[in-house]
Amino acid sequence: PISTTPRLGEAPVLSAEELKDSILSSLEDDKASDIVCIDLQGKTSIADYMVVATGSSTRHVHTLATHIEKKLKEQGIGEVLTEGLDQCDWVLVDTFQVLVHLFRPEVREFYHIEKMWQVPSQRDANPMEADADTAAAS
């Protein structure tokens, strides 16, 4: 795999923002559903963005992934790390700046991967307060 991270003294081919926008455009064009984009900047060093989307079938998930790869290659990104194309229940496309998780509906429902990166609500952050609210409502 070829990293989109530039070598010393080189400018990146596309910024993380441009990569994200290109990926989102590809997913929208290919009719992916429930597209979620999570800004990871400042939360982790693994990537700047995470995109999660659902394909209607294994064939659809495969198409979503291969079209992203093709579009990025046309934009000069070269190879990206892609895993899961053999079964297409869950495919990971990693550009090293944007992580893309593509799921069949029931697999996405099972893993809820995007929930790991969402900021908890105040109610979730203080379970004692939630218990008091529940008791007061009864």
Side-chain angles (χ1 to χ4, degrees), residues 11-125:
V13 177
L14 291 177
S15 70
E17 183 83 19
E18 291 168 324
L19 276 170
K20 172 195 62 119
D21 291 344
S22 182
I23 290 165
L24 292 174
S25 171
S26 179
L27 291 171
E28 290 168 2
D29 290 348
D30 287 338
K31 308 293 189 240
S33 61
D34 300 320
I35 302 169
V36 175
C37 182
I38 302 167
D39 187 343
L40 298 178
Q41 297 174 84
K43 296 178 185 176
T44 182
S45 61
I46 61 171
D48 293 323
Y49 296 97
M50 178 183 297
V51 175
V52 183
T54 302
S56 58
S57 64
T58 55
R59 182 175 289 202
H60 190 206
V61 169
H62 186 276
T63 299
L64 295 171
T66 56
H67 284 183
I68 288 171
E69 289 177 321
K70 181 180 178 186
K71 185 172 191 171
L72 295 179
K73 190 170 193 165
E74 289 170 356
Q75 294 175 318
I77 299 304
E79 291 184 48
V80 296
L81 177 63
T82 304
E83 295 187 27
L85 281 175
D86 52 334
Q87 292 186 332
C88 292
D89 288 327
W90 177 359
V91 175
L92 171 69
V93 179
D94 185 356
T95 72
F96 306 97
Q97 291 176 305
V98 180
L99 292 174
V100 183
H101 295 274
L102 305 170
F103 293 97
R104 284 189 310 104
E106 55 276 10
V107 178
R108 183 172 180 179
E109 180 71 27
F110 180 79
Y111 286 104
H112 293 289
I113 193 165
E114 62 265 36
K115 289 190 178 192
M116 289 191 303
W117 296 98
Q118 292 176 342
V119 177
S121 68
Q122 184 63 33
R123 185 179 202 80
D124 294 337

